Amino acid sequence: RKMSSAPGNIFLTTENLAFAFPLIFVCGSYAYFKYVPLHIGLPILGGLYVLYQIRAQIQAQRDKKLTNMDEKAISDLAKELEGEDKTSETEDAKAKKLAKKKAAIQHRLAAEARKEEKKKAKKKKSDDDDDDDDVALDTFVKPSKKKN
């Protein structure tokens, strides 16, 4: 959460926190040693210090390795990174081609299914048309009046 210097917030500012940090550290360490027994608190602090030192040494080794890299190592690293990029690009291209092929096949199958439905509809229509002709004709013929 960002500390702001909004007009309504005059106490919680970055500047005040910077001035209060030494007091917070002193009070926190006093409370830690007052309420945590020494035979538990000191090993915890020692462990945290050791972890910090290990992290600092690893970071220093990485920095030293990067600064002492020769041109061959840098070019090898660049080739590796390019190779990873190329493989990911080729995988993406293959996936796109496969998706395009699947879409084309589905489109073709759907078109064939529509053609078959049209053929079936035409066949039914032609079969129905034979029966419908009489019915259609009856609708336009005037009914005959029987004279008694």
Side-chain angles (χ1 to χ4, degrees), residues 63-99:
D63 291 342
K64 185 178 178 183
K65 189 177 182 181
L66 286 175
T67 57
N68 292 336
M69 248 186 191
D70 58 342
E71 287 297 319
K72 183 179 179 186
I74 291 173
S75 64
D76 289 342
L77 184 61
K79 286 179 184 177
E80 279 183 27
L81 293 175
E82 284 180 13
E84 290 174 2
D85 292 342
K86 287 180 181 178
T87 56
S88 64
E89 288 175 6
T90 56
E91 289 173 1
D92 291 341
K94 286 179 183 178
K96 286 180 182 178
K97 285 181 183 179
L98 184 61

Side-chain angles (χ1 to χ4, degrees), residues 79-144:
K79 286 179 184 177
E80 279 183 27
L81 293 175
E82 284 180 13
E84 290 174 2
D85 292 342
K86 287 180 181 178
T87 56
S88 64
E89 288 175 6
T90 56
E91 289 173 1
D92 291 341
K94 286 179 183 178
K96 286 180 182 178
K97 285 181 183 179
L98 184 61
K100 192 181 258 188
K101 286 181 183 179
K102 284 182 180 180
I105 290 171
Q106 288 176 349
H107 186 337
R108 193 181 80 210
L109 289 174
E112 288 177 6
R114 285 191 301 254
K115 285 181 183 178
E116 288 180 16
E117 288 177 13
K118 285 182 182 178
K119 285 181 184 179
K120 288 180 182 179
K122 277 188 176 181
K123 192 173 185 181
K124 277 187 177 181
K125 189 176 181 182
S126 64
D127 289 343
D128 291 344
D129 283 348
D130 295 339
D131 298 335
D132 289 343
D133 288 341
D134 298 333
V135 173
L137 229 109
D138 289 341
T139 57
F140 293 108
V141 174
K142 291 181 181 178
S144 61

